[in-house]
Amino acid sequence: MKSSGFISFLCVVGFLCSFSLQKVYAQQTSPESEVRDLLQNFFYAMKRKDSATIQAAFHVDAVMQTVIEEGSVAKLGSSDVSDFLKRVATSEVELDERLLAYSIQVDGLLAHAWTPYEFYVNSEFSHCGVNSFQLINTASGWQITHVIDTRRKEGCR
């Protein structure tokens, strides 16, 4: 009788452990973590000049923009994803954008990520700012549809 009680105890412990592991696994594959992984891989690919990985992160209709400060007025600069891919792939310097934090919100198939960053060229500090990403969850997974950033050299650290 003692062994059947012990076996029951092991079954309960096993069940509880599997429930806990499922909960941990579910947390690891949340939409927020998927978006974060995509962005981490995107910037790692940029550092490695891996244009194929970068291109896969972008939706075919993606838009890239930057806020250009002219005194106290903002102007909007735009660039083409294909031009960005060419610049990264053919760059003779190491481009290293280091994300400092992530604020990710998800509503169904739409996500927004706010990522302060510091940018380094050949390990030397260049500038800092914030990226604002809009993403959608497509048949290929999360993809960037819009990114707009700020860039500054002062007030970074």
Side-chain angles (χ1 to χ4, degrees), residues 31-32 34-44 46 53-59 62-67 79 81 84 97-107 109-119 129-137 142-151:
E32 292 83 0
E34 291 172 2
V35 168
R36 183 183 176 120
D37 290 348
L38 173 90
L39 296 175
Q40 286 176 333
N41 290 336
F42 174 86
F43 287 109
Y44 182 65
M46 188 172 85
T53 298
I54 296 169
Q55 185 172 20
F58 281 106
H59 187 272
V63 175
M64 295 183 74
Q65 297 178 309
T66 191
V67 175
S79 72
V81 172
F84 172 72
E97 187 159 334
R98 301 174 189 175
L99 302 183
L100 305 175
Y102 296 84
S103 175
I104 300 170
Q105 295 85 35
V106 177
D107 183 33
L109 301 176
L110 173 69
H112 174 259
W114 181 267
T115 60
Y117 71 89
E118 291 180 341
F119 195 87
V130 171
N131 298 308
S132 175
F133 292 95
Q134 298 292 319
L135 305 95
I136 61 172
N137 198 351
W142 289 100
Q143 290 186 307
I144 301 164
T145 59
H146 183 241
V147 60
I148 186 167
D149 64 40
T150 62
R151 300 173 191 179

Side-chain angles (χ1 to χ4, degrees), residues 82-109:
S82 60
D83 291 339
F84 172 72
L85 292 169
K86 287 177 199 166
R87 283 194 312 269
V88 168
T90 60
S91 175
E92 295 181 13
V93 295
E94 180 186 79
L95 306 172
D96 184 12
E97 187 159 334
R98 301 174 189 175
L99 302 183
L100 305 175
Y102 296 84
S103 175
I104 300 170
Q105 295 85 35
V106 177
D107 183 33
L109 301 176

Side-chain angles (χ1 to χ4, degrees), residues 10 72 105:
L10 287 178
S72 62
Q105 295 85 35

Side-chain angles (χ1 to χ4, degrees), residues 19-30 33:
F19 181 77
S20 295
L21 288 175
Q22 287 174 352
K23 196 172 177 183
V24 167
Y25 181 75
Q27 290 172 350
Q28 291 174 343
T29 60
S30 70
S33 66

